[in-house]
């Protein structure tokens, strides 16, 4: 037995078993996210339930679970209940209801049942009763009404897009220009130049912008007036709902769709989720602003953390005289890696936002005060905070790579007449680049999943605009942004509609995993390319 333990085989089996268990847990977690996330976009059938008391319900079954029976005698049949997404929140007050299967008298899958996704109030389930064009009825009944809806809906959708484009782009651009002129006038007033020719010119520009604004308002009124088509839907429980076709995102009949139609719908929903904007308190629509904010924040963080960590590692390993001071610095760097992330967030608020950002506002944006520009949370300060959070990882990885480089490479370079800087730049840096990228990969993976420091340094539930747009200077680092990690937290724990938000938690978590995977694979491919290029190194 002693020989068996001394051989080390038990420890090999123990570590192998621990690794296998960890892999199983990771795979299980990923499979759970995949199963609950990808299935959310598939168009499940609409069921019509008639209960034993005569009540009728219509919607999509989302889950089925066993009803607990504490104290029931052995052999008692196990009852089940189903959760039905009935939608029609403006009619019923709730999206989901639980129904005991024992109380269901009849089930049906009506082919004419229609599901209408709306910009507001969520899904609407029912049968088409009438399609109107103003006060004129153009179709009645589920069959003719569906055909008429297919005819009128594309035009109404196009008009709705035009309305949103005018509101967001044309009128938004005018409002932005007016705000810039207002700030310029205030700046001139602070300098005591109220009667200067510049003020008169700016006033003329304001009048021209006001005329353009009135023109866009008139155009907007015309577009709204042209959207006169409406739809009357008969819902379960003898309720009716009339809505404008401009309020409809899409309408479809899942019970009448074949496999190919459902597959195409599934792909279109995935694309909407990736490329669309959120709606209904982030429980519907897409998450493109969160994807954009996450990727942009990681890129900005990488631009700061890479030179900072690499320079620190080069100084500690290549230039600093080894002694008590350098050892103390290394201990401090290692300790920084264990500091809770929220502490870095508090530091970012105090130093970057209040001190640095507040100083920038007082020096360069006095006309905007007391409204802060850089003296509030933004993507720049969040990225810098995460750069400080992850810089120990880059320092340690780079130092380990520098320690692995044979001393003979440095000595050979110096012997050939190269200076210390030339040796560092042309020999050491290319050889250690794979280690630098290894540290950067670890830093990116951690930064992409961090949420606590972002909550107080710039991330928001819904950002009004992206950090990049068509207005000068095009890149607005002072703006707040959305983040996939915070989106998961907000939807999962802050949403008033928990059942509607649950699928979004899984889909967003899956998307965050994919984003981190793509970022890491990009860095890994670059690292492997450099390793092949500098194959003469020892790693």
């Amino acid at each position: 037995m002693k020989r068996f333990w001394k051989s080390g085989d038990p420890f090999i089996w123990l570590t192998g078993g621990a690794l296998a268990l960890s892999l199983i847990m990771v795979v299980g977690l990923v499979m759970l996210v995949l199963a609950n996330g990808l299935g959310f976009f598939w168009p499940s059938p609409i069921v019509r339930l008639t209960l034993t008391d005569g009540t009728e319900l219509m919607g999509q079954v989302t889950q089925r679970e066993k009803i607990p029976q504490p104290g029931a005698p052995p052999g008692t049949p196990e009852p089940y209940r189903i959760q039905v997404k009935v939608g029609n929140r403006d009619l019923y007050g709730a999206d989901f209801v639980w129904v005991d299967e024992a109380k269901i008298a009849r089930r049906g899958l009506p082919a004419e049942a229609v599901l209408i996704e709306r910009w507001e109030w969520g899904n609407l389930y029912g049968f088409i009763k009438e399609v109107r064009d103003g006060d004129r009825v153009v179709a009645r009944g589920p069959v003719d009404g569906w055909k008429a809806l297919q005819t009128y809906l594309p035009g109404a959708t196009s008009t709705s897009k035009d309305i949103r484009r005018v509101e967001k782009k044309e009128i938004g651009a005018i409002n932005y220009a007016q705000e810039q002129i207002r700030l310029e006038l205030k700046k001139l007033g602070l300098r005591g130049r109220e009667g200067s020719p510049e003020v008169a010119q700016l006033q003329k520009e304001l009048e021209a912008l006001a005329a353009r604004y009135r023109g866009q308002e008139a155009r907007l009124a015309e577009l709204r007036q042209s959207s006169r088509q409406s739809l009357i839907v008969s819902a379960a429980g003898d309720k009716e709902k009339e809505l404008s076709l401009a309020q409809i995102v899409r309408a479809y009949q899942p019970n009448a769709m074949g496999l190919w139609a459902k597959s195409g719908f599934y792909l279109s929903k995935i694309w909407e989720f990736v490329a669309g904007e959120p709606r209904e308190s982030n429980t519907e629509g897409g998450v493109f602003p969160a994807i954009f904010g996450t990727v942009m924040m990681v890129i900005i963080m990488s631009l700061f953390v890479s030179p900072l960590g690499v320079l620190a590692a080069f100084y500690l390993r290549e230039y600093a005289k080894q002694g008590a001071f350098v050892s103390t610095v290394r201990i401090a760097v290692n300790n920084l890696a264990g500091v809770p992330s929220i502490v870095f967030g508090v530091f970012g608020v105090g130093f970057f936002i209040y001190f640095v950002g507040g100083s920038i506002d007082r020096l360069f944006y006095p006309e905007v005060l007391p409204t802060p520009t850089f003296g509030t949370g933004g993507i720049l300060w969040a990225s810098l905070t995460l750069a400080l959070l992850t810089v120990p990882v880059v320092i340690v990885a780079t130092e380990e790579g520098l320690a692995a480089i044979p001393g003979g490479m440095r000595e050979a370079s110096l012997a050939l007449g190269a200076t210390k800087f030339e040796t560092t730049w042309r020999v050491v840096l290319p050889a250690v680049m794979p280690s630098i990228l290894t540290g950067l990969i670890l830093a990116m993976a951690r930064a992409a999943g961090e949420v606590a420091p972002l909550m107080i340094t710039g991330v928001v539930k819904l950002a009004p605009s992206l950090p990049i747009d068509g207005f000068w200077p095009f890149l607005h680092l002072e703006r707040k942004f959305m983040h996939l990690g915070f989106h998961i937290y907000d939807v999962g724990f802050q949403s008033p509609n928990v059942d509607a938000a649950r699928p979004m938690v899984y889909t967003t978590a899956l998307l965050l995993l994919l984003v981190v995977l793509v970022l890491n694979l990009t860095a890994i491919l670059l690292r492997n390319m450099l390793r092949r290029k500098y194959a003469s190194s020892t790693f």
Side-chain angles (χ1 to χ4, degrees):
M1 182 60 68
K2 290 183 179 181
R3 182 180 301 174
F4 174 72
W5 285 102
K6 289 182 179 180
S7 65
D9 290 341
F11 299 101
I12 296 175
W13 285 102
L14 181 62
T15 54
L19 176 61
L21 180 61
S22 300
L23 291 176
I24 291 173
M25 294 174 64
V26 171
V27 171
L29 177 61
V30 173
M31 294 301 296
L32 175 66
V33 173
L34 287 172
N36 289 275
L38 295 180
F40 171 61
F41 301 109
W42 188 260
S44 57
I46 299 176
V47 298
R48 179 166 59 182
L49 304 176
T50 303
L51 307 184
T52 54
D53 60 359
T55 304
E56 285 193 356
L57 299 173
M58 181 180 293
Q60 295 171 307
V61 179
T62 55
Q63 59 178 313
R64 181 174 182 262
E65 67 179 20
K66 186 187 302 183
I67 301 177
Q69 295 187 97
T76 303
E78 296 180 344
Y80 285 84
R81 63 178 183 176
I82 58 174
Q83 186 186 51
V84 182
K85 183 177 182 179
V86 295
N88 305 9
R89 191 186 313 144
D90 47 346
L91 299 178
Y92 305 146
D95 287 284
F96 295 83
V97 296
W98 285 97
V99 181
D100 293 351
E101 289 188 342
K103 296 181 179 180
I104 300 176
R106 188 168 57 255
R107 296 192 188 202
L109 297 175
E112 298 84 7
V114 62
L115 190 159
I116 300 174
E117 295 182 16
R118 300 178 287 181
W119 290 105
E120 297 177 348
W121 297 103
N123 292 348
L124 178 65
Y125 299 91
F127 299 94
I128 297 176
K129 183 178 180 180
E130 289 181 354
V131 177
R132 295 175 176 267
D133 186 359
D135 296 331
R136 181 173 61 92
V137 177
V138 297
R140 285 191 174 94
V143 178
D144 293 338
W146 176 251
K147 294 179 181 178
L149 180 64
Q150 296 296 100
T151 301
Y152 285 100
L153 186 56
T157 302
S158 177
T159 303
S160 179
K161 290 181 179 179
D162 290 339
I163 292 174
R164 295 177 186 276
R165 179 178 53 80
V166 171
E167 290 176 340
K168 188 172 182 179
K169 292 188 176 181
E170 277 77 1
I171 295 181
I174 295 173
N175 289 334
Y176 181 82
Q178 288 176 329
E179 179 64 14
Q180 296 304 309
I181 293 177
R182 185 190 69 81
L183 294 177
E184 188 65 25
L185 289 172
K186 187 177 179 181
K187 183 189 294 185
L188 293 174
L190 293 174
R191 296 175 180 177
R193 301 171 58 185
E194 292 87 348
S196 62
E198 293 90 340
V199 173
Q201 180 64 29
L202 291 174
Q203 293 290 354
K204 291 181 180 179
E205 293 180 7
L206 271 180
E207 293 176 0
L209 288 173
R212 287 177 53 194
Y213 187 89
R214 290 190 294 271
Q216 293 297 334
E217 276 191 326
R219 181 185 177 191
L220 196 60
E222 292 178 0
L223 288 173
R224 288 172 175 166
Q225 184 66 26
S226 65
S227 181
R228 302 172 62 249
Q229 296 85 10
S230 61
L231 175 70
I232 298 178
V233 177
S234 175
D238 297 328
K239 294 182 179 290
E240 291 185 356
K241 176 65 179 180
E242 181 176 0
L243 69 156
S244 171
L245 296 190
Q247 300 176 9
I248 299 176
V249 178
R250 65 166 56 86
Y252 57 99
Q253 294 178 322
N255 295 350
M257 297 171 66
L259 179 61
W260 286 108
K262 288 186 176 182
S263 300
F265 178 86
Y266 181 78
L267 295 177
S268 68
K269 287 286 289 184
I270 291 180
W271 175 248
E272 180 195 20
F273 176 72
V274 174
E277 297 183 355
R279 62 178 189 270
E280 289 295 299
S281 298
N282 293 344
T283 60
E284 296 179 8
V287 292
F288 175 75
I291 299 173
F292 187 90
T294 302
V295 175
M296 184 174 178
M297 184 208 66
V298 171
I299 292 175
I300 296 175
M301 183 273 305
S302 302
L303 293 177
F304 282 105
V305 75
S306 298
L308 184 62
V310 171
L311 289 175
F314 266 84
Y315 176 78
L316 292 175
R317 177 63 61 175
E318 299 291 322
Y319 292 94
K321 183 179 180 180
Q322 304 301 313
F325 175 75
V326 174
S327 299
T328 304
V329 171
R330 286 199 177 96
I331 293 173
V333 169
N334 292 330
N335 287 336
L336 278 178
V339 174
S341 59
I342 190 63
V343 176
F344 285 93
V346 173
F347 174 81
V349 171
F351 180 73
F352 291 126
I353 296 177
Y354 291 158
F355 179 70
V356 179
S359 300
I360 293 175
D361 285 349
R362 289 188 294 270
L363 290 174
F364 301 103
Y365 302 97
E367 69 278 4
V368 185
L369 295 175
T371 302
T373 302
F374 281 92
T376 184
I379 191 170
L380 175 62
W381 307 135
S383 301
L384 287 175
T385 301
L386 290 184
L388 290 180
L389 174 67
T390 55
V391 70
V393 179
V394 179
I395 293 176
V396 172
T398 305
E399 273 208 272
E400 291 179 352
L402 290 172
I405 297 176
M409 293 181 63
R410 300 178 180 87
E411 295 171 357
S413 176
L414 295 172
L416 291 174
T419 63
K420 177 70 173 178
F421 175 77
E422 290 174 337
T423 299
T424 302
W425 182 258
R426 297 180 179 274
V427 178
V428 179
L429 181 60
V432 81
M433 190 60 70
S435 297
I436 295 175
L437 290 177
T438 299
L440 183 60
I441 291 168
L442 298 175
M444 290 167 56
R446 183 177 181 186
E450 283 290 346
V451 175
L454 302 181
M455 294 173 64
I456 55 178
T457 56
V459 75
V460 290
K461 175 186 178 74
L462 186 63
S465 56
L466 296 176
I468 294 180
D469 58 18
F471 302 119
W472 176 261
F474 309 120
L475 177 62
H476 305 273
L477 297 179
E478 77 282 0
R479 287 183 180 175
K480 298 184 184 299
F481 67 104
M482 296 179 65
H483 186 270
L484 287 172
F486 181 77
H487 189 84
I488 295 171
Y489 164 77
D490 174 70
V491 173
F493 299 96
Q494 302 295 317
S495 175
N497 196 344
V498 178
D499 292 314
R502 186 181 296 112
M504 291 294 290
V505 173
Y506 288 107
T507 52
T508 310
L510 177 60
L511 189 58
L512 179 58
L513 290 176
L514 291 176
V515 169
V516 174
L517 181 63
V518 170
L519 291 173
N520 287 352
L521 284 178
T522 303
I524 289 172
L525 291 175
L526 181 59
R527 182 187 64 183
N528 292 339
M529 182 184 67
L530 291 174
R531 280 182 173 173
R532 289 193 298 269
K533 183 176 180 180
Y534 300 102
S536 59
S537 61
T538 59
F539 47 86

